[in-house]
Amino acid sequence: MSIHIVALGNEGDAFHQDNRPSGLIRTYLGRSPLVSGDESSLLLNAAGTVARPVFTEYQASAFGNVKLVVHDCPVWDIFDSDWYTSRNLIGSADIIVIKYNVNDKFSFHEVKDNYIPVIKRALNSVPVIIAAVGTRQNEELPCTCPLCTSDRGSCVSTTEGIQLAKELGATYLELPCRDDFYIGKYFGGVLEYFMIQALNQKTSEKMKKRKMSSSFHGIRPPQLEQPEKMPVLKAEASHYNADLNSLLLCCQCVDVVFFHPDLQGVVEAHKIVLCAVSHVFMLLFNVKSPTDIQDASIVRTTQDLFAISRDTALAGGSAQPSGNPPLRVVVKDALFCACLADILRFIYSGAFQWEQLEEDIRRKLKDSGDVSNVIEKVKCILKTPGKINCLRNCKTYQARKPLWFYNTSLKFFLNKPMLADVVFEIQGATVPAHRAILVARCEVMAAMFNGNYMEAKSVLIPVYGVSKETFLSFLEYLYTDSCCPAGIFQAMCLLICAEMYQVSRLQHICELFIVTQLQSMPSRELASMNLDIVDLLRKAKFHHSDCLSTWLLHFIATNYLIFSQKPEFQDLSVEERSFVEKHRWPSNLYLRQLAEYRKYIHSRKCRCLVM
């Protein structure tokens, strides 16, 4: 017998990330006298997890011979990256532990806004423990102004934690420190109580099954075997970072060049990427006006660092496919211009690797004062209007932002004429776009815009065979590396568009979406839905989606009694029908045994034991 515990949330202290102790769950497993398994074995199990990479897995033995399996996920981004696996783990949990640090309001809001809605949907009489970890370091009341952000670093109050526990009907615990009393006796006592309750419930259910099986004499009911395991569709890793880095290196679709009058070197870049990162570049390229930004420091930074040059005699940069020469920008600061190539590489890599940037600048500028001056200018460029510069501590910011923070900012330019240099014509409507993003994210479009094709020299490009809504969803993926189809039909249309433009990762995302939607449907909805599953299979095969077509065949076989009654079932080919009949569930043998058992029950030979 086993107990499955799922732990969610980050209990680490955001202000002391360098030397923080072991996590709550691991500390409990290492100290509890009821749990066997030394520290080295726990570490081995945690590092050797391959089947479920979303969670860190711990395995131990409790109460002597009870297997204890704990899955711990402290980061929401990792949890959300494979939410199909995450949802299944939460659904199979016997106990759920939610943890956050009282000194890190970010971890509390991550629990409240992200984890809690998922748990509410999957919760089914499973006990929940909410653990508030740490001693509050700042008890002052935060500002209540709706526009103020000064309370982000303040403590999470006891009232907030209790209110969150009431929403879930959970048990609320405060653990000021991680010693033997709070971890072993306080937290451990509550956790072990729920473990005993889970064991009692499982034992009771097991006894009921034994009584049911022993209550029949003579012919026993047939045992329904489990359906075959469905094929696993694997997601493809994102290459968003590499795509935009390649764009900077290959210098395609360049529309802006930077130079210093006293220097020979010229640095090429792309307006759309720079504007997605910085309001300074938005102001420089007239995407926004000073009135729109309403921040004097950003306006001052733009004026101090850059100036637009109208001198066409200056060298540097090649003409765009549309024939317009790149915009020439003078960098007024010679030191900043000398490091501009490293700064652009930092920006195109996601603008979070501050230590690498500082190391690159230090190689070129030997004086530490010059290095600090250039770093401060980079921080001013990345400043958010109306807010105090939040990039003062580079190490903290690097730990908090390990991902691209402007992939969602690129959505600001989606289907907008700002900086657009190409227009797609679809179903009588026009959709503006940006060649740089399209070339970086789609190899087919890169070949189309840079080869000897009509599209390379044309601004208006017609698109056939795709609806406007589907093409906009396709562009949304290229700009933001994510998409959310409205339903199975829209996902299939997007899959067809992705196959047409050879974007394999988007194909896999659509496949996983279709699979998840079909698996979440109850049998009654499957029987009544208007979706033609065989037509879906045909499209998947025609557009070379082999993984999806194989999965759909297994899905039809697993739900044989439902789909065999539908008229489109007759449209299956001989080979497909043979596969479905071979792997059908329930099998013909089980149905025959069930008919014989029912016949026996209703015959005179079998008398009721009660009456």
Side-chain angles (χ1 to χ4, degrees):
M1 193 172 293
S2 63
I3 298 176
H4 181 201
I5 300 174
V6 172
L8 304 171
N10 183 10
E11 73 276 26
D13 192 341
F15 300 103
H16 302 85
Q17 290 188 358
D18 295 332
N19 298 311
R20 63 183 183 183
S22 299
L24 174 64
I25 296 299
R26 185 169 152 192
T27 304
Y28 165 74
L29 294 176
R31 295 182 180 180
S32 175
L34 298 178
V35 178
S36 60
D38 56 6
E39 189 74 4
S40 60
S41 66
L42 293 176
L43 281 170
L44 178 63
N45 288 328
T49 303
V50 177
R52 303 190 187 279
V54 176
F55 290 78
T56 300
E57 180 178 315
Y58 301 98
Q59 293 186 8
S61 296
F63 307 114
N65 60 347
V66 177
K67 184 179 179 182
L68 184 63
V69 180
V70 182
H71 289 96
D72 189 4
C73 181
V75 182
W76 166 255
D77 289 338
I78 302 177
F79 179 94
D80 191 49
S81 65
D82 190 1
W83 61 276
Y84 172 71
T85 300
S86 305
R87 187 188 63 178
N88 286 344
L89 277 175
I90 289 179
S92 62
D94 297 313
I95 303 169
I96 296 176
V97 178
I98 301 172
K99 45 199 171 63
Y100 62 87
N101 194 286
V102 295
N103 294 309
D104 187 2
K105 206 146 192 177
F106 176 84
S107 68
F108 175 78
H109 283 293
E110 186 174 65
V111 165
K112 183 178 180 181
D113 300 334
N114 296 330
Y115 289 112
I116 295 302
V118 176
I119 294 173
K120 282 183 177 179
R121 288 194 295 268
L123 201 60
N124 185 18
S125 68
V126 176
V128 179
I129 300 174
I130 295 180
V133 182
T135 304
R136 292 178 178 83
Q137 299 177 358
N138 183 12
E139 295 284 2
E140 69 212 279
L141 293 174
C143 177
T144 58
C145 173
L147 299 179
C148 186
T149 59
S150 62
D151 63 334
R152 290 185 177 178
S154 61
C155 300
V156 182
S157 65
T158 303
T159 306
E160 290 177 292
I162 294 174
Q163 182 62 33
L164 186 64
K166 286 182 179 179
E167 292 181 16
L168 284 178
T171 302
Y172 176 74
L173 303 177
E174 286 202 352
L175 309 175
C177 58
R178 305 182 192 181
D179 56 13
D180 290 335
F181 174 78
Y182 283 102
I183 299 296
K185 295 183 179 180
Y186 190 30
F187 172 75
V190 175
L191 184 62
E192 287 155 12
Y193 168 80
F194 287 125
M195 288 165 59
I196 294 172
Q197 295 296 317
L199 286 174
N200 290 338
Q201 183 178 356
K202 290 187 176 184
T203 304
S204 177
E205 291 174 354
K206 192 173 182 180
M207 292 299 296
K208 286 181 181 179
K209 290 181 180 179
R210 286 182 179 178
K211 288 182 180 179
M212 289 292 293
S213 61
S214 63
S215 62
F216 294 100
H217 301 279
I219 297 180
R220 293 185 175 274
Q223 296 296 318
L224 179 61
E225 70 280 5
Q226 292 294 322
E228 292 186 10
K229 289 186 177 181
M230 303 291 286
V232 178
L233 274 68
K234 296 183 179 180
E236 183 179 338
S238 172
H239 37 78
Y240 192 80
N241 301 26
D243 289 343
L244 291 183
N245 262 316
S246 299
L247 178 66
L248 178 64
L249 295 175
C250 69
C251 298
Q252 294 178 338
C253 302
V254 169
D255 54 5
V256 59
V257 292
F258 295 91
F259 63 93
H260 190 273
D262 299 333
L263 300 177
Q264 297 296 326
V266 173
V267 182
E268 300 176 331
H270 308 83
K271 295 178 186 178
I272 178 68
V273 178
L274 299 179
C275 289
V277 177
S278 169
H279 284 78
V280 168
F281 292 114
M282 283 189 178
L283 187 61
L284 179 65
F285 301 137
N286 295 323
V287 175
K288 287 187 177 181
S289 66
T291 307
D292 298 328
I293 294 178
Q294 294 184 349
D295 192 314
S297 62
I298 291 179
V299 176
R300 186 168 55 254
T301 300
T302 307
Q303 295 171 348
D304 292 344
L305 279 180
F306 307 108
I308 304 295
S309 173
R310 305 299 178 186
D311 188 357
T312 57
L314 290 171
S318 56
Q320 302 176 67
S322 60
N324 298 323
L327 181 68
R328 304 178 194 280
V329 178
V330 177
V331 183
K332 299 179 180 180
D333 189 314
L335 295 177
F336 188 87
C337 188
C339 303
L340 188 56
D342 297 316
I343 295 170
L344 288 180
R345 187 164 55 251
F346 163 76
I347 289 175
Y348 277 67
S349 299
F352 75 96
Q353 299 175 345
W354 289 96
E355 292 181 349
Q356 182 64 43
L357 174 64
E358 188 172 352
E359 183 180 342
D360 294 339
I361 295 176
R362 201 176 296 279
R363 290 197 192 101
K364 294 186 177 179
L365 308 179
K366 304 303 181 182
D367 185 81
S368 58
D370 293 339
V371 174
S372 300
N373 186 28
V374 173
I375 291 290
E376 285 301 321
K377 285 182 171 61
V378 176
K379 294 177 184 178
C380 292
I381 288 176
L382 300 179
K383 181 180 182 294
T384 303
K387 295 183 180 180
I388 300 174
N389 200 336
C390 60
L391 307 179
R392 291 181 179 176
N393 189 339
C394 297
K395 292 183 178 179
T396 302
Y397 189 76
Q398 185 171 10
R400 286 295 187 90
K401 290 285 185 181
L403 302 174
W404 282 69
F405 72 86
Y406 64 83
N407 57 351
T408 53
S409 299
L410 280 174
K411 193 173 183 179
F412 175 76
F413 298 93
L414 178 63
N415 196 21
K416 300 285 180 60
M418 296 175 295
L419 303 179
D421 52 6
V422 63
V423 178
F424 293 99
E425 186 178 21
I426 313 166
Q427 296 179 334
T430 57
V431 177
H434 306 82
R435 290 176 187 263
I437 303 301
L438 304 180
V439 167
R441 299 281 288 140
C442 178
E443 293 182 359
V444 171
M445 288 195 175
M448 182 174 69
F449 288 131
N450 295 305
N452 295 323
Y453 299 100
M454 176 188 68
E455 292 84 357
K457 299 179 181 179
S458 176
V459 176
L460 186 64
I461 299 175
V463 176
Y464 304 103
V466 179
S467 68
K468 180 185 176 183
E469 291 74 16
T470 301
F471 194 75
L472 280 174
S473 297
F474 174 71
L475 290 182
E476 181 182 1
Y477 169 78
L478 297 185
Y479 277 65
T480 67
D481 202 40
S482 63
C483 67
C484 186
I488 294 177
F489 177 77
Q490 176 67 18
M492 178 54 73
C493 294
L494 189 55
L495 184 148
I496 294 171
C497 182
E499 191 266 341
M500 182 169 65
Y501 288 100
Q502 297 296 298
V503 183
S504 59
R505 182 170 182 268
L506 179 57
Q507 284 183 267
H508 294 153
I509 290 176
C510 294
E511 289 175 351
L512 287 172
F513 179 87
I514 293 171
V515 166
T516 304
Q517 290 292 306
L518 288 174
Q519 279 191 325
S520 63
M521 289 184 181
S523 300
R524 183 174 296 179
E525 187 175 350
L526 282 175
S528 61
M529 71 174 182
N530 296 324
L531 182 67
D532 190 339
I533 195 75
V534 178
D535 181 62
L536 210 62
L537 173 64
R538 290 278 179 273
K539 290 179 179 177
K541 283 191 171 183
F542 184 80
H543 294 282
H544 310 290
S545 184
D546 298 332
C547 294
L548 179 60
S549 59
T550 303
W551 187 92
L552 287 172
L553 274 176
H554 278 274
F555 187 69
I556 294 172
T558 303
N559 297 276
Y560 183 88
L561 297 180
I562 294 175
F563 292 115
S564 61
Q565 305 301 318
K566 292 179 175 287
E568 60 267 18
F569 186 79
Q570 306 302 322
D571 297 335
L572 289 172
S573 66
V574 176
E575 182 182 356
E576 293 166 348
R577 180 76 70 89
S578 175
F579 179 91
V580 170
E581 293 290 346
K582 181 180 178 180
H583 299 86
R584 59 174 288 181
W585 185 85
S587 64
N588 275 323
L589 176 62
Y590 172 79
L591 294 178
R592 287 197 299 269
Q593 292 175 347
L594 182 62
E596 292 175 2
Y597 177 74
R598 285 176 175 173
K599 184 178 179 181
Y600 173 78
I601 289 297
H602 292 91
S603 67
R604 294 182 179 180
K605 297 178 182 179
C606 179
R607 293 179 296 175
C608 179
L609 298 177
V610 179
M611 302 298 292

